[in-house]
Coordinates of all heavy atoms in Angstrom, one line a residue:
L488 N 106.2 91.2 94.6 CA 105.6 91.3 93.3 C 106.5 91.9 92.3 O 107.2 93.0 92.6 CB 104.3 92.2 93.4 CG 103.6 92.4 92.1 CD1 103.1 91.1 91.4 CD2 102.4 93.3 92.4
C489 N 106.6 91.3 91.1 CA 107.5 91.9 90.1 C 106.7 91.8 88.8 O 106.5 90.7 88.2 CB 108.8 91.2 90.0 SG 109.9 91.8 88.8
V490 N 106.3 92.9 88.2 CA 105.8 93.0 86.9 C 106.9 93.5 86.0 O 107.4 94.6 86.2 CB 104.6 94.0 86.9 CG1 104.1 94.2 85.4 CG2 103.4 93.5 87.8
N491 N 107.2 92.7 84.9 CA 108.2 93.1 84.0 C 107.7 94.2 83.1 O 106.7 93.9 82.3 CB 108.7 91.9 83.2 CG 109.9 92.2 82.4 OD1 110.1 93.3 81.8 ND2 110.8 91.2 82.2
P492 N 108.2 95.4 83.1 CA 107.6 96.5 82.3 C 107.8 96.3 80.8 O 107.1 96.8 80.0 CB 108.4 97.7 82.7 CG 109.7 97.2 83.3 CD 109.3 95.9 83.9
L493 N 108.7 95.4 80.4 CA 108.9 95.1 78.9 C 107.8 94.1 78.4 O 107.5 94.1 77.3 CB 110.3 94.5 78.6 CG 111.5 95.4 79.1 CD1 112.7 94.8 78.5 CD2 111.3 96.8 78.7
L494 N 107.2 93.4 79.4 CA 106.2 92.4 79.1 C 104.8 92.9 79.6 O 103.8 92.3 79.2 CB 106.5 91.0 79.7 CG 107.8 90.4 79.2 CD1 108.1 89.2 80.1 CD2 107.8 90.1 77.8
S495 N 104.8 93.9 80.4 CA 103.5 94.3 81.1 C 102.8 93.1 81.8 O 101.6 93.1 81.8 CB 102.6 95.0 80.1 OG 103.1 96.2 79.7
A496 N 103.6 92.2 82.3 CA 103.0 91.0 82.9 C 103.9 90.5 84.1 O 105.1 90.8 84.1 CB 102.9 90.0 81.9
V497 N 103.3 89.7 84.9 CA 104.1 89.0 85.9 C 104.7 87.8 85.3 O 103.9 86.9 84.8 CB 103.2 88.6 87.1 CG1 103.9 87.7 88.1 CG2 102.6 89.8 87.8
S498 N 106.0 87.7 85.2 CA 106.6 86.7 84.4 C 108.1 86.6 84.8 O 108.7 87.6 85.0 CB 106.5 86.9 82.9 OG 107.3 86.0 82.2
N499 N 108.6 85.4 84.9 CA 110.1 85.2 85.1 C 110.8 85.1 83.7 O 112.0 84.8 83.7 CB 110.3 84.0 85.9 CG 109.9 84.2 87.4 OD1 109.9 85.3 87.9 ND2 109.4 83.1 88.0
E500 N 110.1 85.3 82.6 CA 110.7 85.2 81.3 C 111.6 86.3 81.1 O 111.3 87.5 81.4 CB 109.6 85.1 80.3 CG 110.1 85.1 78.8 CD 108.9 85.2 77.8 OE1 107.7 85.1 78.3 OE2 109.2 85.4 76.6
Y501 N 112.8 86.1 80.4 CA 113.7 87.2 80.0 C 113.1 87.9 78.8 O 112.6 87.3 77.8 CB 115.0 86.6 79.6 CG 115.9 87.6 79.0 CD1 116.5 88.6 79.8 CD2 116.2 87.6 77.6 CE1 117.4 89.6 79.2 CE2 117.0 88.6 77.1 CZ 117.6 89.5 77.8 OH 118.4 90.5 77.3
A502 N 113.1 89.2 78.9 CA 112.6 90.1 77.8 C 113.8 90.8 77.2 O 114.5 91.5 78.0 CB 111.5 91.1 78.3
S503 N 114.0 90.7 76.0 CA 115.2 91.2 75.4 C 115.0 92.7 75.1 O 113.9 93.3 75.2 CB 115.5 90.5 74.0 OG 114.5 90.8 73.1
A504 N 116.1 93.4 74.8 CA 116.1 94.8 74.6 C 115.3 95.3 73.4 O 114.8 96.4 73.3 CB 117.5 95.4 74.4
R505 N 115.0 94.4 72.5 CA 114.2 94.7 71.3 C 112.7 95.0 71.7 O 112.0 95.7 71.0 CB 114.2 93.6 70.2 CG 113.6 92.3 70.7 CD 113.7 91.2 69.6 NE 113.1 90.0 70.0 CZ 111.8 89.7 70.1 NH1 110.9 90.6 69.6 NH2 111.4 88.5 70.5
L506 N 112.3 94.6 72.9 CA 111.0 94.9 73.5 C 110.9 96.2 74.3 O 109.8 96.6 74.6 CB 110.5 93.7 74.4 CG 110.4 92.3 73.7 CD1 110.0 91.3 74.7 CD2 109.3 92.4 72.6
H507 N 112.1 96.8 74.5 CA 112.1 98.0 75.3 C 111.6 99.2 74.5 O 112.2 99.5 73.5 CB 113.6 98.2 75.8 CG 113.8 99.5 76.6 ND1 114.8 100.4 76.3 CD2 113.1 100.0 77.6 CE1 114.7 101.4 77.2 NE2 113.7 101.1 78.0
R508 N 110.5 99.7 74.9 CA 109.9 100.8 74.1 C 110.7 102.1 74.3 O 110.6 103.0 73.4 CB 108.4 101.0 74.6 CG 107.6 99.9 74.2 CD 106.1 100.1 74.6 NE 105.3 98.9 74.3 CZ 104.7 98.7 73.1 NH1 104.9 99.6 72.2 NH2 104.0 97.6 72.9
G509 N 111.4 102.3 75.4 CA 112.2 103.5 75.5 C 112.3 104.1 76.8 O 111.3 104.3 77.6
G510 N 113.5 104.6 77.2 CA 113.7 105.4 78.3 C 113.8 106.9 78.0 O 114.0 107.2 76.8
V511 N 113.7 107.7 79.0 CA 113.7 109.2 78.7 C 114.5 109.9 79.8 O 114.3 109.6 81.0 CB 112.2 109.7 78.7 CG1 112.2 111.2 78.9 CG2 111.6 109.4 77.4
A512 N 115.3 110.8 79.4 CA 116.0 111.8 80.3 C 115.4 113.1 80.1 O 115.8 113.8 79.2 CB 117.5 111.8 80.1
A513 N 114.3 113.5 80.8 CA 113.5 114.6 80.4 C 113.6 115.8 81.4 O 112.6 116.5 81.7 CB 112.0 114.2 80.4
E514 N 114.8 116.0 81.9 CA 115.0 117.0 82.9 C 114.6 118.4 82.3 O 115.0 118.8 81.2 CB 116.4 117.1 83.4 CG 116.7 118.1 84.4 CD 118.1 118.0 85.0 OE1 118.8 117.1 84.7 OE2 118.5 118.9 85.8
G515 N 113.7 119.1 83.1 CA 113.3 120.5 82.7 C 112.2 120.6 81.8 O 111.7 121.7 81.5
L516 N 111.6 119.4 81.3 CA 110.5 119.5 80.4 C 109.2 119.6 81.2 O 109.1 119.2 82.3 CB 110.4 118.2 79.5 CG 111.6 118.0 78.5 CD1 111.3 116.8 77.7 CD2 111.7 119.3 77.6
D517 N 108.2 120.2 80.5 CA 106.9 120.3 81.1 C 106.3 118.9 81.3 O 106.5 118.0 80.4 CB 105.9 121.1 80.2 CG 104.6 121.4 80.9 OD1 103.7 120.6 80.9 OD2 104.5 122.5 81.5
P518 N 105.5 118.6 82.4 CA 104.9 117.2 82.5 C 104.0 116.9 81.4 O 103.8 115.7 81.1 CB 104.2 117.3 83.8 CG 104.9 118.4 84.6 CD 105.3 119.4 83.5
D519 N 103.4 117.8 80.7 CA 102.5 117.5 79.6 C 103.3 117.2 78.3 O 102.7 116.7 77.3 CB 101.6 118.8 79.3 CG 100.7 119.0 80.4 OD1 100.3 118.0 81.1 OD2 100.3 120.2 80.6
A520 N 104.6 117.5 78.2 CA 105.3 117.2 77.0 C 105.6 115.7 76.9 O 105.6 114.9 77.8 CB 106.7 117.9 77.1
V521 N 105.7 115.3 75.6 CA 106.0 113.9 75.3 C 107.4 113.8 74.7 O 107.5 114.0 73.4 CB 104.9 113.2 74.4 CG1 105.3 111.8 74.1 CG2 103.6 113.4 75.0
P522 N 108.4 113.6 75.4 CA 109.8 113.6 74.9 C 110.0 112.4 74.0 O 109.3 111.4 74.1 CB 110.7 113.6 76.1 CG 109.8 113.0 77.2 CD 108.4 113.3 76.9
A523 N 111.0 112.5 73.2 CA 111.4 111.4 72.3 C 112.1 110.3 73.1 O 113.1 110.5 73.7 CB 112.3 111.8 71.2
P524 N 111.5 109.1 73.2 CA 112.2 108.0 74.0 C 113.4 107.4 73.3 O 113.5 107.5 72.1 CB 111.1 107.0 74.1 CG 110.2 107.2 72.9 CD 110.2 108.6 72.6
I525 N 114.3 106.8 74.1 CA 115.4 106.1 73.5 C 115.2 104.7 73.6 O 115.3 104.1 74.7 CB 116.7 106.5 74.3 CG1 116.8 108.0 74.4 CG2 118.0 105.9 73.6 CD1 118.0 108.5 75.4
P526 N 114.8 104.0 72.6 CA 114.3 102.6 72.7 C 115.5 101.6 72.6 O 116.7 101.9 72.4 CB 113.4 102.4 71.4 CG 114.1 103.4 70.4 CD 114.7 104.5 71.2
A527 N 115.1 100.3 72.9 CA 116.0 99.2 72.7 C 117.3 99.3 73.5 O 118.4 99.0 73.1 CB 116.3 98.9 71.3
Q528 N 117.2 99.8 74.8 CA 118.3 100.1 75.6 C 118.7 99.0 76.6 O 119.8 98.9 77.0 CB 118.1 101.4 76.4 CG 118.0 102.6 75.5 CD 119.4 102.9 74.9 OE1 120.4 103.0 75.6 NE2 119.4 102.9 73.6
T529 N 117.7 98.2 77.0 CA 118.0 97.2 78.0 C 117.0 96.0 77.9 O 115.8 96.2 77.6 CB 117.9 97.8 79.4 OG1 118.2 96.9 80.4 CG2 116.5 98.3 79.7
G530 N 117.5 94.8 78.3 CA 116.6 93.7 78.5 C 116.3 93.7 80.0 O 116.9 94.4 80.8
A531 N 115.3 92.9 80.4 CA 114.9 92.8 81.8 C 114.3 91.5 82.1 O 113.7 90.8 81.3 CB 113.9 93.9 82.1
Q532 N 114.4 91.1 83.4 CA 113.9 89.8 83.8 C 113.6 89.8 85.3 O 114.4 90.3 86.1 CB 114.9 88.6 83.5 CG 114.4 87.3 83.9 CD 115.3 86.2 83.5 OE1 116.5 86.4 83.2 NE2 114.8 85.0 83.3
C533 N 112.5 89.3 85.7 CA 112.1 89.2 87.2 C 112.7 88.0 87.7 O 112.6 86.9 87.2 CB 110.6 89.2 87.4 SG 109.8 90.8 87.0
A534 N 113.4 88.1 88.9 CA 114.0 87.0 89.6 C 114.0 87.3 91.1 O 114.5 88.3 91.5 CB 115.4 86.7 89.1
D535 N 113.4 86.4 91.9 CA 113.3 86.5 93.3 C 112.7 87.9 93.7 O 113.1 88.5 94.7 CB 114.7 86.4 93.9 CG 115.3 85.0 93.7 OD1 114.5 84.0 93.7 OD2 116.5 84.9 93.5
G536 N 111.7 88.3 92.9 CA 111.0 89.5 93.3 C 111.7 90.8 92.9 O 111.2 91.9 93.2
V537 N 112.8 90.7 92.2 CA 113.6 91.9 91.8 C 113.6 92.0 90.2 O 113.7 90.9 89.6 CB 115.0 91.9 92.3 CG1 115.8 93.1 91.8 CG2 115.0 91.9 93.8
L538 N 113.4 93.1 89.7 CA 113.5 93.3 88.2 C 115.0 93.6 87.9 O 115.5 94.7 88.2 CB 112.6 94.4 87.7 CG 112.7 94.7 86.2 CD1 112.0 93.6 85.4 CD2 112.1 96.1 85.9

Side-chain angles (χ1 to χ4, degrees):
L488 174 60
C489 182
V490 175
N491 190 325
L493 304 191
L494 302 173
S495 289
V497 174
S498 172
N499 292 327
E500 177 186 351
Y501 170 73
S503 68
R505 65 182 179 81
L506 297 177
H507 180 227
R508 295 180 181 275
V511 161
E514 183 172 350
L516 294 183
D517 189 278
D519 293 332
V521 181
I525 310 172
Q528 291 296 301
T529 183
Q532 183 174 21
C533 289
D535 298 324
V537 178
L538 178 72

